[in-house]
Amino acid sequence: MKKISFLALTFLAIASTISAQTKQPMEMKPEMTEIWEPEVPVVTPGRTAADAPSDAIILFDGNDLSKEWTNAEGGLPGWKVADGCVTVVKGAGIIKTKKLFDDCQLHIEWRTPAKVEGESQGRGNSGIFMQERYEVQVLDSYNNRTYRNGQAGSIYKQYAPLVNVCKAPGEWQSYDIIYTAPRFNNDGTYFTRPAITILQNGVLIQNHVELRGPTQYIGIPEYFVEKHGAAAIVLQDHGNPVSFRNIWIRKL
Ligand code: MG
């Protein structure tokens, strides 16, 4: 079987265009549109969708948080590690990854407290910030109404999730986040906006939504765009003891 490269296919496309312009049909064969090189990299999948594939970076394996995470100041993260998970310690502040990321696939599991306290935004609130700026909301949204663009699975204050697929408080849930970082014009405005797709518990809840800008608690995000490169994944301390486990990421 003759192998056709991408370059060869480009020449073929040009030849095809010339042929179309001169109205002389070019005879096509099946192998003329086959691309063989470079070969697609081989990745070994996990046993289940929750298991890290062979090319993933393990961000938290249930034991050592300080290996891949720091607090806001770059020091030891102040959250509690026990029973294979890490839990927000109120007042300890955010934690963030030492490594920086742009385009990525992030798997993260989270659990809001079994003991229900508070309501609306005050119940099981945390969050996952992509590139330190764009919040995917973590919240106990099981029988807990709040504004739709602020419930679990929302891109906070920008996009409500397509459906509410939350499990009960105290149960483990998962997000699989596919994130495309923004590209910038020279003046600092977006050339292409950040885009996010999310599956919660295996169900699509955000379908490649394009963000208007960094997450803002107050105000409209368009006005606050600033040029940025790869940045940390940040987990939010919103004062509620939300837990996380099995965190892995693939650079795209
Ligand atoms: Mg939050």
Side-chain angles (χ1 to χ4, degrees):
M1 181 76 69
K2 193 178 179 187
K3 295 183 178 180
I4 304 279
S5 70
F6 181 75
L7 192 64
L9 200 70
T10 305
F11 283 124
L12 184 67
I14 294 167
S16 175
T17 305
I18 292 168
S19 169
Q21 287 171 348
T22 57
K23 295 192 169 59
Q24 289 180 344
M26 187 176 68
E27 193 183 344
M28 296 290 287
K29 294 174 182 164
E31 56 269 31
M32 293 170 84
T33 45
E34 294 171 1
I35 301 173
W36 283 72
E37 304 297 340
E39 188 178 357
V40 174
V42 174
V43 168
T44 307
R47 284 172 296 115
T48 71
D51 290 341
S54 58
D55 63 346
I57 298 165
I58 308 297
L59 290 177
F60 179 59
D61 64 0
N63 297 306
D64 185 4
L65 187 65
S66 62
K67 188 177 169 203
E68 294 285 349
W69 299 80
T70 70
N71 64 14
E73 291 76 39
L76 282 176
W79 293 15
K80 183 185 165 196
V81 177
D83 304 322
C85 66
V86 58
T87 302
V88 175
V89 172
K90 184 178 182 178
I94 62 109
I95 63 169
K96 63 179 185 178
T97 56
K98 294 179 181 177
K99 293 188 176 76
L100 308 181
F101 302 95
D102 39 40
D103 297 355
C104 63
Q105 173 187 351
L106 174 67
H107 175 90
I108 186 164
E109 298 173 20
W110 53 275
R111 182 184 65 187
T112 61
K115 186 183 175 200
V116 171
E117 289 180 322
E119 58 178 3
S120 188
Q121 292 288 305
R123 184 184 298 182
N125 194 333
S126 182
I128 302 151
F129 286 78
M130 309 305 293
Q131 291 195 296
E132 303 183 40
R133 290 166 177 81
Y134 309 102
E135 184 183 8
V136 176
Q137 177 69 300
V138 170
L139 195 74
D140 175 2
S141 288
Y142 188 87
N143 295 328
N144 178 33
R145 275 309 304 275
T146 187
Y147 41 94
R148 57 183 273 119
N149 59 350
Q151 69 184 63
S154 66
I155 311 301
Y156 187 74
K157 291 274 180 88
Q158 297 194 35
Y159 291 96
L162 295 169
V163 291
N164 182 345
V165 69
C166 281
K167 295 183 181 180
E171 290 193 42
W172 283 103
Q173 312 197 47
S174 66
Y175 282 158
D176 287 283
I177 300 171
I178 295 108
Y179 177 71
T180 306
R183 273 62 172 170
F184 290 91
N185 297 309
N186 285 334
D187 65 2
T189 56
Y190 289 134
F191 176 67
T192 56
R193 293 169 181 272
I196 302 190
T197 296
I198 307 174
L199 285 86
Q200 181 181 358
N201 304 323
V203 176
L204 184 71
I205 59 162
Q206 297 286 358
N207 188 8
H208 198 77
V209 293
E210 294 193 347
L211 278 61
R212 294 190 282 272
T215 299
Q216 296 292 331
Y217 177 50
I218 301 169
I220 309 295
E222 275 101 333
Y223 300 107
F224 298 92
V225 176
E226 56 161 338
K227 200 172 179 177
H228 62 81
I233 305 287
V234 169
L235 302 184
Q236 183 184 48
D237 169 14
H238 204 281
N240 303 141
V242 175
S243 301
F244 296 90
R245 72 176 186 189
N246 193 19
I247 310 172
W248 53 260
I249 194 166
R250 299 178 60 242
K251 292 186 174 185
L252 301 179

